[in-house]
Amino acid sequence: VCFGSTFHKLWKEARRFDDRSLEEATKHVAAIEANLGGTEILAPLTELLEAKADAERPRRVLVLTDGQVSNEPDVIALAKKHAGGARIFAFGIGAGASHHLVRGMARGSRGAAEMIFPGERIEPKVLRTFARVRTPVLDDATVDWKGLSVEQVPQRTPPVFADDVLTVFARIESGATDHVELVA
């Protein structure tokens, strides 16, 4: 789906990834001119996330944006609303991309985000994202604070993808222990 002030889709519904669909998509992307106007992502994202899901495959949405939108809270709320059935992997490309939007969509849908800055190599981040898409994720891990009373941020542990680092902060309110444990 290409989006700007308007949007259009390459196919009416999702297709299985194979050599033919890859060739078709590659030709389509090569012919795209990024001149669709402003960054209006809510309508196309709504259409994608509310389309009938494929029961055989989990829904993974990759979003590439170089812009900012005026309705970030609505877009992030949409991602959260569909988190049970779709995971968004978002790329912010260039200095003008909204960090809040890109990270918010990914965080809200239990996906992942990458920011790609001017002059930075894109390949490592794209490969890392595709590895996240393809591999199992530890989605409902919790931290066992072993009797400590803590204020944890984020409150819900984010998904843990293979080879990623998990960072959780906690303010200890009371108690003592010599270790904590990540529980899957």
Side-chain angles (χ1 to χ4, degrees):
V1 177
C2 297
F3 65 93
S5 297
T6 62
F7 71 94
H8 66 273
K9 296 171 27 174
L10 172 58
W11 298 301
K12 290 184 180 184
E13 53 190 42
R15 293 222 182 141
R16 183 170 301 279
F17 176 77
D18 58 22
D19 290 340
R20 183 175 175 205
S21 64
L22 175 62
E23 183 179 337
E24 227 176 299
T26 301
K27 285 180 183 175
H28 179 76
V29 168
I32 291 173
E33 291 187 33
N35 61 356
L36 292 174
T39 305
E40 301 293 333
I41 191 172
L42 188 60
L45 192 58
T46 299
E47 186 165 316
L48 282 172
L49 294 176
E50 293 183 356
K52 185 175 186 255
D54 181 338
E56 294 180 28
R57 296 177 296 210
R59 182 171 294 181
R60 302 294 180 250
V61 177
L62 279 79
V63 173
L64 289 79
T65 182
D66 64 353
Q68 299 191 19
V69 300
S70 60
N71 55 353
E72 285 180 346
D74 297 330
V75 175
I76 293 168
L78 177 69
K80 287 179 182 177
K81 175 183 172 186
H82 291 279
R87 196 179 299 265
I88 298 173
F89 295 87
F91 292 93
I93 301 174
S98 168
H99 290 243
H100 180 67
L101 174 69
V102 171
R103 295 189 193 292
M105 284 188 296
R107 190 178 309 116
S109 68
R110 312 276 298 153
E114 295 282 1
M115 300 303 294
I116 301 167
F117 300 101
E120 185 176 23
R121 291 188 54 92
I122 190 172
E123 294 87 352
K125 293 184 176 185
V126 169
L127 292 173
R128 181 171 44 240
T129 296
F130 276 96
R132 289 172 177 148
V133 169
R134 288 191 319 265
T135 59
V137 60
L138 185 57
D139 207 21
D140 293 315
T142 58
V143 178
D144 180 351
W145 294 100
K146 300 293 183 183
L148 293 175
S149 176
V150 302
E151 179 182 357
Q152 176 181 308
V153 177
Q155 288 181 340
R156 182 177 182 198
T157 306
V160 183
F161 296 95
D163 297 324
D164 274 1
V165 172
L166 172 66
T167 302
V168 177
F169 296 96
R171 184 175 60 87
I172 300 173
E173 295 170 338
S174 64
T177 188
D178 61 355
H179 72 283
V180 298
E181 187 176 313
L182 184 65
V183 181

